[in-house]
């Protein structure tokens, strides 16, 4: 692998790496931040009445639009910094990308129309919001599977991608349920605990299946994980992941009793642990794929734009990225706490 990495003291070496880190940060932030509101959208069908659905929508109302900024940033960096990989990746993923964009558009329309719709029309927009959330989550997982397999078109690779799509939907539901446990109260909060319990083991099974299947996709990935001493050094990643699932299961078992006593202690544990699982999974995936943008075909240095162009773009990123981080932190600080009625 080291022979694929150029001299990092030169602009042609460190600039592509810097942009790869920015793109990774943007995609990680998107998966976590937009992941929970996609999860809330999928869980919307399980609510008992309109009041519960209103509360669920209100819990993501101040955040969901800004969360998608990270997706725009990540895809934008891919386009301007790695045009060769951009063409290969989006060309191979044309259909799931189109499906995701249509689903995200449907979500946006349903969200805004639902707030102002008459009572008899709300169920229609609820179904549209659920459908858009489900399709967006599944298509993102399918694209992730394609990235891992190097965009192979055989049946096994397509099945693997479809499996990851289902696993990512389950993980988004777990993340969304954890968000609702933090942001709601009463009957809906207890229902969110049950949703989290139902999603927990589907997510754990998905993480396990993907972890076992990914090294089999490429001999390079297998060697990176199972050669000595890498096997010993990387052991903390699956160990910490299993520990987080155990902590979540233990917390979700205890929460109903506490919440029935109006005790909110530990309400943030499921969400925090799920974020931890996402972070560890992302780290493992990044380690598996580095330095490839298209597995076994294109490295990030081969796909990068000219250093002169990257340097100009780099100055723009230095200005824009802190602004995005700043307003994201500010928004969550202002709207932290239990949800209130969403009004336009």
């Amino acid at each position: 692998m080291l022979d694929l990495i150029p001299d990092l003291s030169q602009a042609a070496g460190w600039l592509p790496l810097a942009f790869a880190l920015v793109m990774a940060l943007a995609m990680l932030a998107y998966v976590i931040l937009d992941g929970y509101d996609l999860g809330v959208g999928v869980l919307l069908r399980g609510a008992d009445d309109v009041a519960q659905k209103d509360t669920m929508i209100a819990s993501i109302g101040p955040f969901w639009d800004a969360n998608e900024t990270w997706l725009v940033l990540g895809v934008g960096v891919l386009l301007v910094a790695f045009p060769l990989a951009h063409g290969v990746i989006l060309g191979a993923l044309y259909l799931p990308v189109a499906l995701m964009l249509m689903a995200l558009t449907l979500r946006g329309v349903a969200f805004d129309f639902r707030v102002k719709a008459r009572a008899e029309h709300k169920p229609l927009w609820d179904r549209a919001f659920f459908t858009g959330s489900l399709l967006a989550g599944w298509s993102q997982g399918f694209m992730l599977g394609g990235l891992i397999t190097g965009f192979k078109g055989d049946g096994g690779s397509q099945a693997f991608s479809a499996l990851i799509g289902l696993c990512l939907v389950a993980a988004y539901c777990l993340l969304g349920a954890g968000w609702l446990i933090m942001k709601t109260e009463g009957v809906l909060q207890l229902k969110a605990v049950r949703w989290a319990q139902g999603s927990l083991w589907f997510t754990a099974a998905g993480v396990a299946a993907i972890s076992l299947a990914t090294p089999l996709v490429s001999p390079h990935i297998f060697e990176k994980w199972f050669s000595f001493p890498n096997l010993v050094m990387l052991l903390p990643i699956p160990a910490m992941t299993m520990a987080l699932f155990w902590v979540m299961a233990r917390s979700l078992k205890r929460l109903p009793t506490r919440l029935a006593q109006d005790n909110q202690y530990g309400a943030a544990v499921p969400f925090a642990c799920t974020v931890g699982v996402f972070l560890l999974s992302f780290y493992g995936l990044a380690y598996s794929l580095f330095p490839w943008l298209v597995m076994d075909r294109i490295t990030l240095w081969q796909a990068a734009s000219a250093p002169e162009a990257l340097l100009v773009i780099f100055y723009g990123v230095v200005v824009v990225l802190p602004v995005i981080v700043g307003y994201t932190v500010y928004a969550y600080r202002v709207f932290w706490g239990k949800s209130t009625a969403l009004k336009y």
Side-chain angles (χ1 to χ4, degrees):
M1 184 188 74
L2 294 178
D3 59 330
L4 299 173
I5 303 176
D7 183 4
L8 297 181
S9 64
Q10 302 297 318
W14 68 265
L15 274 172
L17 183 60
F19 276 99
L21 291 174
V22 171
M23 184 171 64
L25 170 65
M27 300 314 295
L28 176 61
Y30 172 76
V31 166
I32 293 176
L33 297 180
D34 205 44
Y36 75 74
D37 67 57
L38 286 169
V40 170
V42 175
L43 295 171
L44 194 68
R45 287 295 297 272
D48 292 332
D49 51 41
V50 174
Q52 288 187 1
K53 293 177 181 180
D54 288 344
T55 302
M56 293 170 69
I57 294 294
S59 74
I60 63 175
F63 312 108
W64 76 278
D65 223 359
N67 291 341
E68 294 179 354
T69 304
W70 294 101
L71 178 62
V72 176
L73 176 63
V75 175
V77 169
L78 178 63
L79 171 62
V80 299
F82 306 104
L84 177 60
H86 179 273
V88 173
I89 292 172
L90 293 191
L93 298 175
Y94 183 84
L95 289 178
V97 167
L99 179 63
M100 181 188 72
L101 292 177
M102 288 189 293
L104 292 177
T105 302
L106 180 62
R107 284 185 81 235
V109 172
F111 186 95
D112 286 329
F113 276 42
R114 183 192 185 280
V115 175
K116 296 182 177 294
R118 296 177 181 176
E120 62 268 23
H121 295 154
K122 278 192 175 183
L124 170 63
W125 297 116
D126 288 338
R127 289 192 294 271
F129 193 74
F130 163 79
T131 302
S133 301
L134 179 63
L135 290 179
W138 182 85
S139 59
Q140 289 170 15
F142 190 92
M143 288 187 282
L144 175 60
L147 180 65
I148 294 172
T149 59
F151 310 112
K152 296 176 182 177
D154 58 277
S157 297
Q158 297 297 310
F160 178 73
S161 298
L163 171 64
I164 293 187
L166 295 175
C167 294
L168 189 61
V169 170
Y172 281 168
C173 287
L174 180 60
L175 198 60
W179 177 259
L180 291 173
I181 293 171
M182 291 194 304
K183 298 290 287 184
T184 62
E185 296 176 305
V187 175
L188 180 57
Q189 190 178 32
L190 290 171
K191 183 177 283 291
V193 172
R194 293 195 295 272
W195 286 334
Q197 290 172 330
S199 303
L200 177 65
W201 298 117
F202 284 108
T203 304
V207 170
I210 294 168
S211 300
L212 293 174
T214 301
L216 302 178
V217 171
S218 167
H220 293 96
I221 297 178
F222 186 90
E223 183 180 357
K224 289 173 75 172
W225 279 93
F226 294 103
S227 61
F228 190 82
N230 292 6
L231 179 63
V232 177
M233 295 174 62
L234 295 170
L235 189 60
I237 296 177
M240 291 172 64
T241 302
M242 288 189 290
L244 286 173
F245 277 116
W246 179 81
V247 171
M248 269 192 283
R250 184 169 177 265
S251 175
L252 291 170
K253 185 177 180 180
R254 295 182 173 187
L255 272 174
T257 302
R258 290 177 181 163
L259 297 178
Q261 299 169 352
D262 199 24
N263 180 3
Q264 296 291 323
Y265 178 79
V269 170
F271 184 80
C273 288
T274 308
V275 170
V277 169
F278 271 85
L279 291 173
L280 289 169
S281 300
F282 188 85
Y283 177 81
L285 179 63
Y287 173 78
S288 297
L289 296 180
F290 183 82
W292 304 98
L293 282 180
V294 179
M295 194 63 211
D296 295 335
R297 292 166 57 189
I298 305 174
T299 68
L300 61 94
W301 289 280
Q302 292 170 340
S305 299
E308 295 80 7
L310 288 178
L311 192 59
V312 174
I313 304 167
F314 180 76
Y315 294 138
V317 171
V318 169
V319 175
V320 171
L321 186 59
V323 173
I324 297 176
V325 173
Y327 80 65
T328 299
V329 173
Y330 179 75
Y332 278 87
R333 182 178 178 182
V334 169
F335 293 102
W336 197 248
K338 297 297 183 180
S339 298
T340 56
L342 181 63
K343 296 181 180 179
Y344 277 73

